[in-house]
Amino acid sequence: MMKMEIRPLLMCFALCVVYATSKPTEKKDRVHHDTPLSSKEHDDGGNFDYDHDAFLGEDEAKTFDDLTPEESKKRLGKIVNKIDADEDGFVTEAELKAWIKKAQKKYIYDNVERQWKDFDLNNDGMIGWDEYKNVTYGTYLDDPEPDDGYNYKQMMARDERRFRMADGNEDHVADKEEFTAFLHPEEYEHMKDIVVLETMEDIDKNGDGFIDLEEYIGDMYNHEDEMDEPEWVATEREQFTEFRDKNKDGKMDKEETMDWILPADYDHAEAEAKHLVYESDSNKDGKLSKEEILNKYDLFVGSQATDFGEALVRHDEF
């Protein structure tokens, strides 16, 4: 089997690799922020471009050009059927929020879709740990001291720990959603602890279970080249002392590290879901019928639509 296996393996350690090869004056950032729903201004008085981007994803919204209102409504109706997860005939705020989050993360699901076929060796629609391990590591474990400097046994153990956490029903195999959580743990609430743990293991060089100031700076800034520290390094030292180390004991524990790398950002998807429901809920019952959504089609998709309708046929995850 070709050694393409290293690609997904390195994904789990992408931060380490990127940091090790970055220029010494560049700042490395481990903080995970949600991307904006749109680069456009949210101004319903002028147009609904922001809402279109939020509802469909910015790239998909661009391709909703040149459709007639009739075609837009037709495709929107198909989308509504997908949003109504419990198939009760109504779209709730929670369902709309989930849809917006998924639409905004479409690139992640597309990435998982591309990788899925590489790992589901028996084509049963599931990926077991042994399947992932065999594809990812293959014969690498046969050599206890490989020339490339990687400790594959250690990396495999770390991958297995993450795989087991992503395996929500503990049946030792991953469906597509569980595999997505494994590959992109920062996107899932129940995976946050593993993101924090892996980050701390990467940075905690003395193995005491904490991140001290020098470890914090050392992770961001490569000291190897003898040059004056850039100004941002001094700023980060101050950030650590004043804000990161909340209990002022000179180091970051698990909770402080989580606050740093996974900050509680403003939930744009929730705010947009509330906005769309408020603007479309004509009978004010707190949920949207398909008719209510289609009556406000210009808010959701306008007379611009996307190849999203075709995408719904091609990719059942949406």
Side-chain angles (χ1 to χ4, degrees):
M1 184 175 294
M2 295 179 63
K3 289 301 189 291
M4 60 168 288
E5 303 97 333
I6 194 66
R7 174 175 54 83
L9 176 149
L10 288 180
M11 181 181 297
C12 297
F13 291 84
L15 291 175
C16 301
V17 175
V18 170
Y19 295 170
T21 57
S22 297
K23 295 178 181 178
T25 56
E26 290 180 347
K27 180 180 178 181
K28 295 94 177 182
D29 191 4
R30 288 187 179 268
V31 181
H32 299 279
H33 291 288
D34 284 340
T35 55
L37 300 184
S38 173
S39 59
K40 302 178 180 67
E41 182 180 359
H42 198 178
D43 178 19
D44 287 348
N47 57 63
F48 298 127
D49 289 346
Y50 177 97
D51 300 297
H52 301 164
D53 288 353
F55 182 67
L56 297 168
E58 195 161 0
D59 289 340
E60 283 74 14
K62 291 176 184 177
T63 58
F64 249 83
D65 295 337
D66 303 324
L67 288 182
T68 64
E70 290 74 22
E71 182 63 21
S72 291
K73 289 182 181 180
K74 180 180 178 181
R75 296 192 181 189
L76 178 58
K78 294 179 181 179
I79 294 173
V80 172
N81 293 339
K82 294 287 183 179
I83 301 173
D84 180 16
D86 61 7
E87 300 180 350
D88 67 347
F90 295 94
V91 171
T92 65
E93 184 181 300
E95 288 173 330
L96 197 51
K97 174 184 173 181
W99 168 264
I100 291 170
K101 283 185 174 292
K102 202 162 191 177
Q104 293 296 320
K105 303 298 183 183
K106 185 174 184 294
Y107 69 95
I108 289 178
Y109 287 92
D110 285 349
N111 171 263
V112 172
E113 195 69 31
R114 285 191 296 270
Q115 294 199 54
W116 184 263
K117 65 178 74 73
D118 295 335
F119 296 101
D120 183 15
L121 300 180
N122 61 4
N123 296 312
D124 67 346
M126 306 290 282
I127 294 175
W129 167 248
D130 286 339
E131 285 180 304
Y132 177 82
K133 178 181 67 175
N134 291 337
V135 172
T136 302
Y137 295 96
T139 60
Y140 288 112
L141 296 178
D142 295 338
D143 185 357
E145 297 181 1
D147 295 333
D148 57 16
Y150 290 106
N151 184 330
Y152 292 108
K153 288 185 179 180
Q154 183 179 22
M155 295 167 82
M156 185 180 71
R158 178 159 154 160
D159 271 1
E160 184 174 12
R161 181 180 63 189
R162 186 196 287 192
F163 190 94
R164 292 186 183 283
M165 180 165 285
D167 177 21
N169 59 3
E170 299 181 356
D171 61 356
H172 310 298
V173 294
D175 60 21
K176 199 159 289 183
E177 193 69 14
E178 290 169 333
F179 193 62
T180 304
F182 169 69
L183 292 180
H184 301 276
E186 70 282 353
E187 302 295 337
Y188 290 81
E189 187 69 28
H190 71 283
M191 297 294 289
K192 286 186 175 181
D193 283 346
I194 203 71
V195 176
V196 173
L197 178 58
E198 290 178 1
T199 301
M200 295 188 74
E201 288 175 345
D202 290 342
I203 303 175
D204 175 23
K205 301 305 182 185
N206 63 14
D208 67 350
F210 298 92
I211 298 174
D212 61 34
L213 175 58
E214 292 311 308
E215 289 169 335
Y216 174 79
I217 296 297
D219 179 65
M220 296 181 178
Y221 175 61
N222 188 339
H223 294 269
E224 291 181 0
D225 291 2
E226 293 184 4
M227 59 177 66
D228 293 336
E229 287 186 349
E231 292 183 6
W232 65 260
V233 176
T235 301
E236 283 298 335
R237 292 184 189 278
E238 183 178 347
Q239 286 285 317
F240 182 94
T241 302
E242 296 297 323
F243 302 105
R244 310 287 185 225
D245 177 21
K246 291 181 169 55
N247 61 6
K248 309 304 178 187
D249 65 352
K251 54 193 177 184
M252 285 195 295
D253 56 23
K254 175 183 174 182
E255 288 73 23
E256 290 166 332
T257 301
M258 181 175 290
D259 289 343
W260 166 42
I261 66 172
L262 297 169
D265 289 339
Y266 175 74
D267 194 331
H268 295 277
E270 181 176 329
E272 180 64 11
K274 289 180 182 293
H275 169 65
L276 293 175
V277 170
Y278 176 80
E279 294 294 336
S280 308
D281 183 16
S282 57
N283 65 2
K284 303 304 176 185
D285 64 351
K287 55 188 177 182
L288 301 179
S289 66
K290 179 182 286 190
E291 182 181 8
E292 287 176 320
I293 293 175
L294 294 182
N295 284 341
K296 294 286 289 187
Y297 83 97
D298 56 333
L299 172 65
F300 291 87
V301 297
S303 56
Q304 310 166 36
T306 177
D307 60 353
F308 210 72
E310 287 83 352
L312 289 172
V313 176
R314 294 194 306 269
H315 300 296
D316 198 41
E317 71 268 18
F318 270 69

